[in-house]
Amino acid sequence: MGRGHNDHPPDSTPGGILIGDGSLGAAGSSTKSPCARVAPGVAVNPVSNGDDCLVRIRGLSFSHGSRVIFDRVDLDIPRGAVTAVMGPSGTGKTTLLKLISGQLRPDAGSIEVDGEPVQALGRAALYQLRRRMGMLFQSGALLTDLNVFDNVAYPLREHTDLKPAILRKLVLLKLEAVGLRGARDLMPSELSGGMARRVALARAIALDPMMILYDEPFTGQDPISMGVLVTLIRQLNDASRMTSIVVSHDVRETASIADFIYIIAGGRVMAQGTPAMIAAERSAWVRQFMDGLADGPVHFHYPAPALAADLLTRGLG
Amino acid sequence: MGRRARALADGLLNPLARLGQRGLKALAGLGRASLLLVGILAGSAQLLRRPRLLLAQVYNVGVLSVLIVAVSGFFVGMVLGLQGFYVLSQFGAKESLGVMVAASLVRELGPVVTALLVAGRAGSALTAEIGLMKATEQLSGLEMMAVDPVHRILTPRFYGGLISMPLLAALFSAVGVLGGYFVGVGLLGVDDGAFFGQMQAKIDFREDLVNGVIKSLVFGLVVAWISLFQGYDATPTSEGVSRATTRAVVHSALAVLAIDFVLTALMFGN
Amino acid sequence: MAKQHTIEVWVGAFMAVGFIALFFLAMQVSNLSANAAADGYRVSARFTNAGSLKARAPVSMAGVRVGRVEEVRLDKNTYEAVVVMRIDKGVDSIPTDTFANIFTAGLLGEQYVGLQPGGSQDYLRDGDEITQTQSALILEQLIGQFLFKKAEEGGK
C-alpha cells in the first residue's frame, strides 16, 4: 500500500488533548488527540470553524444491562482521514458506531459530530444530521425487495426531488464507483456478500455524506473482495475528502488503510496512534492483539479451577 | 433449623417473585407495544402520500389470504348446515336452518375464524418479515438513511391488515352462507324460500352485520398490531425471530378470542 | 412496473370481491332490503296488552305477510299500547273494520300481528287507526286462570 498522504510522524504538532490511557499502561507517546496531528495535511472544512475533529467523544460511558461496554472513554476522529477502531470481538466497536450515529444514547458523556451534540439532538435534528452520514452495515442491510438500482436510488428518492433522468445518472455513477454498474438489475439475493457490501457502499455515498461509518467491512470476505473493499474505502475517502471510521478486528487490512488507529478493549482505549506507532508499541496486550498470539495477557483458557482438581472431583458437575 | 426455615420461606416466596417479575415484564412489553402503535399511527399522514406502499400490503395480507379464507368459509358453512339440520329437525324447525347458519357466521364465526386464519397466514408472515429485516439490519439501515422504519415499513402493513380483515370476514360469511345453502337446500332438502326468507327476517342489518364488521375491524387492528410488535421487538437472531413468530400467532389468537367475548357482551348483551 | 400493475389489479379484484360479499350479506342475508322498502302506508292500532311484540315483527293477513310493525309505544293517558304498522303499498284494500290480533307463531315462537278483514267498503289509508283489536295472550295469565277455575270447581 503505497500511500504517502496523511502519514505524519508521531511527534509532529502536539497539542491534542490528553486521553486517559488503558489500565495495561499503553505507551504515553500515543495518548494525544489525532486531530491536530493528522488534519493539517488535509483540507479543513471551512464551515467547521476551524475544528479539525469531526467527531469528539468525551467521558463516554455506556452499559448494556449490567455489562459495562464503555467506561469514560475519550476519542477524537480527525476530519478527512481514515480512522480505524480495533479491538477483540464483543468490545463494543459496533456499539461505538451506533452511539456516534445516534442509534443508541450514552449513559454519560458527550458525542459531538461536526459540532452537534448527538446525544442531545431531537429526532428531526438527528435525521438531518444522518443525511450527512453514511453507514455500511456488516450484512449490507440492502432492502431485499428492491433491486440494486432501486436500493442505491432509495436515499435519493427519499430526500431529494431529482428528476428521474438525473437520478438515474447519479445512481449509475455511484454504482460505477463501486464497479457494479452492470449489476443494477440484480436482486440482493443474487449478490455475493462482497458485492452486497459494495452496493451498500454505493447507497451510503449516494447523498455525498461527510462521513462514512464502516461496521466490520472485511468480515467473512474472500481475499479478492477483501482487497476490493480495502481499495474502495481508501479511494472513496481520498476522492471526495470524506471522513471514514472503520471498525474491524482484521488487523492487517485495517492497518494498511488507516491514518490513525484506536485499539479498545474492556471499555477503555488501550492504545492509539498511527499504524507505525501501533506497530512500535511494546505493551504486551497490544502485541498479542496485533500479532494474533494465542496466549498472552489474554489467556487461552477461560477461567477455571486447576485441571487436576477438576478431573478428580467425583459426581456430576 | 434457621436454614430450613429460610429454605421454606424461599420456596414460598420465589414463585411469587417470579410471578411479579413476569407481570413487570408483561407490563413493560405492553408499554413498548403502545408506544409502537402511537408511532405507527403517527405515520398515517405520510402513508396518504405513498398509496402504493399500502396497495402492496393489502395484496400481502388480503389477496394472499383470499383462498384459505374462502375455502375455510365454505367448509365451515357446510358443517353448520349439517349440524344445524340434525339439531333443528329434532324440534321440527329445520326451516330456521338459514337463520342459524347466517347468524353464527355473521355474528361470530366470520370475524373470529377469519381473524385466526389471518393471524396464522399473514400475521406470522408479517412478524417473520419485520424480524428478519431487523436481524439483517435493514431497519437500522433505513434509520441511518434518515428514514423512519416505523412509518415506512410498519404503518403500511398495519393499515393493510386493518383494511383487509373486514373484507375477508365478509367473504368468509358470504361463502359460508352459500356452503350452508348448498348442504341444507341442495343436499338435505330444506325449502329454498324458507332458508333465505327466515334468514332475512331474523338477521338484522345493524345489530348483526354492522356489529360483525366492527368486530372484524377491531380484530384486524389487534392482529396487525401484535404481529408487527412481535417482529419489531424480536431478538434479532434466527432463533429470536422464530420464537417471535410463534408468539405472534399465539398472542393474536388469545387476544382475538378474549376481545370477542368482551365485544359480544357489549354488542348483543343489550 | 409490470409487477406493480399486477398487484394493482389483484388488489382491485380483492376489494371488489370483499364489497360484493358485504353487499350480498346486506341484501340477501340481513333484513336491509326489507327495511329499505319503506314505502307503503302507516296504520296504527291500540291494544290493552302488546305482549312481547317488537318492532320489525311481521304483520300478516290470512298467513301472508303484508307489512311490518314499525314501533310499539305506550299511550301515557290511556295506558294502552300503540302499535304502528307499515303496510306494503300493494295491499291497499284492507277494510276499515278490520280486526287486529296479536298472535304467537307456534307455542314458543315470536309474536306477530294478524289482521282479519271486515266487510266494509271503505279501505284503510295512511294514518288511519284500527279500532277493533284483541290483545296478546299471555301464557302465564292463561295458566293462572285455568288453575283458578279448576280450584273453584274443586271447592264446590
Side-chain angles (χ1 to χ4, degrees), chain A residues 270-294:
Chain A
M270 289 302 228
Q272 57 179 303
T274 59
M277 288 159 66
I278 296 290
E281 175 70 56
R282 293 265 61 87
S283 141
W285 190 93
V286 172
R287 285 271 56 83
Q288 187 191 359
F289 178 74
M290 292 301 288
D291 301 339
L293 306 175

Side-chain angles (χ1 to χ4, degrees), chain A residues 65-297:
Chain A
S66 58
R67 206 159 65 91
V68 177
I69 299 192
F70 293 117
D71 182 20
R72 280 161 296 159
V73 166
D74 295 344
L75 246 165
D76 289 329
I77 308 290
R79 248 173 229 283
V82 177
T83 304
V85 178
M86 295 200 271
S89 307
T91 44
K93 300 187 297 293
T94 303
T95 308
L96 182 68
L97 294 187
K98 289 194 169 175
L99 284 162
I100 291 175
S101 58
Q103 293 176 60
L104 294 173
R105 306 252 154 162
D107 298 339
S110 70
I111 301 167
E112 268 182 32
V113 175
D114 202 23
E116 298 197 60
V118 172
Q119 79 282 357
L121 287 182
R123 236 176 92 88
L126 189 60
Y127 273 27
Q128 208 61 41
L129 181 64
R130 281 191 190 150
R131 292 189 194 188
R132 298 193 284 144
M133 289 185 197
M135 181 158 173
L136 183 68
F137 288 88
Q138 226 180 104
S139 57
L142 296 175
L143 296 168
T144 41
D145 51 349
L146 298 179
N147 67 14
V148 167
F149 183 93
D150 289 332
N151 258 295
V152 178
Y154 198 88
L156 292 167
R157 288 188 175 137
E158 208 52 56
H159 296 305
T160 65
D161 284 324
L162 294 175
K163 292 201 181 79
I166 300 177
L167 184 114
R168 179 169 176 277
K169 277 185 194 127
L170 258 177
V171 171
L172 291 184
L173 282 176
K174 300 296 175 190
L175 279 173
E176 176 73 14
V178 298
L180 290 176
R181 190 164 45 84
R184 71 187 95 154
D185 293 326
L186 297 182
M187 293 305 283
S189 55
E190 299 169 297
L191 300 174
S192 71
M195 280 160 80
R197 260 176 235 190
R198 280 150 70 190
V199 173
L201 188 53
R203 185 178 69 175
I205 58 171
L207 288 171
D208 292 320
M210 59 176 179
M211 169 168 80
I212 300 194
L213 313 172
Y214 296 91
D215 186 11
E216 305 274 9
F218 310 122
T219 311
Q221 298 297 308
D222 62 67
I224 298 176
S225 45
M226 186 119 70
V228 169
L229 281 166
V230 167
T231 320
L232 265 178
I233 292 173
R234 188 73 241 180
Q235 273 179 357
L236 284 174
N237 192 77
D238 297 344
S240 40
R241 300 222 178 279
M242 260 188 278
T243 303
S244 308
I245 306 178
V246 181
V247 147
S248 177
H249 48 226
D250 292 288
V251 173
R252 205 172 318 118
E253 289 73 23
T254 312
S256 72
I257 50 164
D259 296 312
F260 201 84
I261 297 176
Y262 281 96
I263 299 180
I264 56 173
R268 354 190 89 231
V269 176
M270 289 302 228
Q272 57 179 303
T274 59
M277 288 159 66
I278 296 290
E281 175 70 56
R282 293 265 61 87
S283 141
W285 190 93
V286 172
R287 285 271 56 83
Q288 187 191 359
F289 178 74
M290 292 301 288
D291 301 339
L293 306 175
D295 211 351

Side-chain angles (χ1 to χ4, degrees), chain B residues 78-260:
Chain B
M78 290 204 298
V79 169
L80 281 176
L82 215 53
Q83 291 280 13
F85 179 81
Y86 290 121
V87 173
L88 290 174
S89 56
Q90 282 178 9
F91 300 103
K94 59 188 177 196
E95 281 72 27
S96 300
L97 185 64
V99 183
M100 203 211 88
V101 169
S104 329
L105 281 169
V106 173
R107 287 183 181 179
E108 284 299 330
L109 293 174
V112 172
V113 177
T114 307
L116 295 180
L117 288 172
V118 170
R121 165 70 188 71
S124 59
L126 282 183
T127 307
E129 191 190 9
I130 302 292
L132 278 176
M133 287 186 87
K134 190 181 181 189
T136 55
E137 298 176 310
Q138 291 184 55
L139 296 184
S140 305
L142 282 175
E143 207 161 299
M144 277 310 295
M145 286 190 274
V147 173
D148 191 322
V150 173
H151 292 179
R152 182 54 41 80
I153 303 295
L154 269 62
T155 302
R157 284 163 176 76
F158 176 78
Y159 280 102
L162 199 63
I163 292 173
S164 302
M165 191 69 92
L167 295 178
L168 288 172
L171 180 69
F172 185 97
S173 299
V175 174
V177 167
L178 293 181
Y181 177 85
F182 171 68
V183 167
V185 177
L187 301 182
L188 299 173
V190 175
D191 180 57
D192 184 14
F195 188 86
F196 273 113
Q198 290 247 3
M199 190 150 70
Q200 286 180 28
K202 292 279 166 57
I203 305 289
D204 186 54
F205 177 73
R206 220 198 59 73
E207 283 208 343
D208 294 315
L209 197 59
V210 173
N211 277 345
V213 170
I214 291 174
K215 263 190 185 179
S216 60
L217 266 174
V218 174
F219 294 160
L221 182 145
V222 167
V223 169
W225 179 23
I226 289 179
S227 305
L228 290 173
F229 170 69
Q230 289 298 349
Y232 194 72
D233 206 46
T235 316
T237 59
S238 40
E239 194 205 358
V241 174
S242 75
R243 259 199 252 154
T245 310
T246 312
R247 250 201 324 266
V249 176
V250 172
H251 287 193
S252 297
L254 288 179
V256 164
L257 294 173
I259 290 173
D260 181 49

